[in-house]
Amino acid sequence: EPEVTQTPSHQVTQMGQEVILRCVPISNHLYFYWYRQILGQKVEFLVSFYNNEISEKSEIFDDQFSVERPDGSNFTLKIRSTKLEDSAMYFCASSDPGYREDEKLFFGSGTQLSVL
Amino acid sequence: ILNVEQSPQSLHVQEGDSTNFTCSFPSSNFYALHWYRWETAKSPEALFVMTLNGDEKKKGRISATLNTKEGYSYLYIKGSQPEDSATYLCAFWSTGTASKLTFGTGTRLQVTL
């Protein structure tokens, strides 16, 4: 069964450093997302991406964050200057828009980001 | 800010017990309600996408119901097995948003022998 893959599974970085989290969505999907979960909190939406542009973003997704689909297969999340509070599990997801009943998200297994 | 709540937060049952959890969500601007199953160290996996008031969906021993007018959904597991141990997440999708899911806190289920 096709799956969403994320790399790396763990990333440790120093505060202020840039990180890029990588995802390969399911190949025929058209919508792509990033969500995150800070330990002990809810899974929260960051951004959705369709047709090579951001379709929606949350208030968390400020100027420090950016997304890119550089080559038609990868989908990346960049955090320009990491803060301690960016430490979280970051999930990539993709979906194939169709009937509303079919619009489930397929998630990757996540990248655990630790900012020291 | 959309309020999506789940109860209980955690649940510990014996193998063979049947159980159920609740997800409450806003009763206005409803588009869809998703249920995901999330096992430790794995990806969250979709169980159900529910769209119509009164929907009942079933997948093996797991079923779910939806009441959009009062803003709640129930997830039922019949005859729990240890492999059902996971966190069960509901997520609300409101109209006017581009696939933005608002998740509840999850119900962590532990099934023991």
Side-chain angles (χ1 to χ4, degrees):
Chain A
E1 187 171 323
E3 58 181 28
V4 175
T5 56
Q6 288 187 245
T7 54
S9 56
H10 293 84
Q11 174 95 45
V12 180
T13 190
Q14 295 290 324
M15 192 169 57
Q17 295 295 303
E18 175 183 286
V19 293
I20 297 176
L21 309 183
R22 301 181 193 279
C23 169
V24 179
I26 293 172
S27 60
N28 61 337
H29 284 183
L30 299 178
Y31 275 96
F32 314 109
Y33 316 86
W34 285 99
Y35 285 79
R36 77 176 187 187
Q37 187 186 38
I38 295 170
L39 189 63
Q41 298 185 22
K42 294 182 181 184
V43 174
E44 44 188 6
F45 170 82
L46 293 178
V47 66
S48 59
F49 190 86
Y50 172 72
N51 201 26
N52 283 319
E53 59 183 26
I54 290 174
S55 51
E56 189 159 1
K57 59 183 181 179
S58 70
E59 59 277 6
I60 303 166
F61 195 88
D62 61 21
D63 292 344
Q64 293 301 312
F65 290 86
S66 62
V67 288
E68 204 175 36
R69 188 156 161 79
D71 56 13
S73 62
N74 291 285
F75 180 52
T76 60
L77 175 70
K78 183 193 288 187
I79 310 175
R80 266 180 263 285
S81 176
T82 49
K83 306 186 195 74
L84 295 175
E85 54 265 36
D86 294 328
S87 296
M89 177 73 88
Y90 287 80
F91 290 100
C92 173
S94 66
S95 68
D96 180 18
Y99 294 112
R100 192 164 38 142
E101 293 80 7
D102 297 325
E103 287 179 293
K104 61 185 177 183
L105 269 59
F106 291 78
F107 284 88
S109 52
T111 293
Q112 180 65 57
L113 177 65
S114 299
V115 182
L116 305 177
Chain B
I1 296 177
L2 297 175
N3 202 22
V4 180
E5 299 294 336
Q6 290 185 248
S7 63
Q9 276 196 333
S10 64
L11 199 51
H12 194 154
V13 302
Q14 299 287 317
E15 183 183 14
D17 288 349
S18 293
T19 187
N20 63 85
F21 332 129
T22 305
C23 172
S24 63
F25 51 86
S27 55
S28 57
N29 300 317
F30 178 87
Y31 181 77
L33 192 282
H34 292 205
W35 281 99
Y36 289 87
R37 180 172 178 275
W38 186 13
E39 286 182 74
T40 305
K42 293 189 178 179
S43 321
E45 182 186 344
L47 287 171
F48 304 113
V49 175
M50 310 190 77
T51 58
L52 296 175
N53 184 45
D55 255 357
E56 288 190 34
K57 295 207 171 180
K58 191 174 179 185
K59 190 175 183 177
R61 293 180 291 98
I62 305 177
S63 59
T65 61
L66 180 70
N67 183 323
T68 60
K69 296 189 187 312
E70 295 181 44
Y72 64 84
S73 176
Y74 293 134
L75 188 80
Y76 301 91
I77 302 179
K78 187 177 175 184
S80 303
Q81 299 296 310
E83 57 265 31
D84 296 329
S85 299
T87 296
Y88 292 83
L89 297 166
C90 72
F92 175 74
W93 183 346
S94 71
T95 54
T97 63
S99 303
K100 173 186 171 182
L101 292 177
T102 301
F103 281 85
T105 45
T107 293
R108 179 178 285 191
L109 174 67
Q110 177 94 24
V111 183
T112 51
L113 296 169

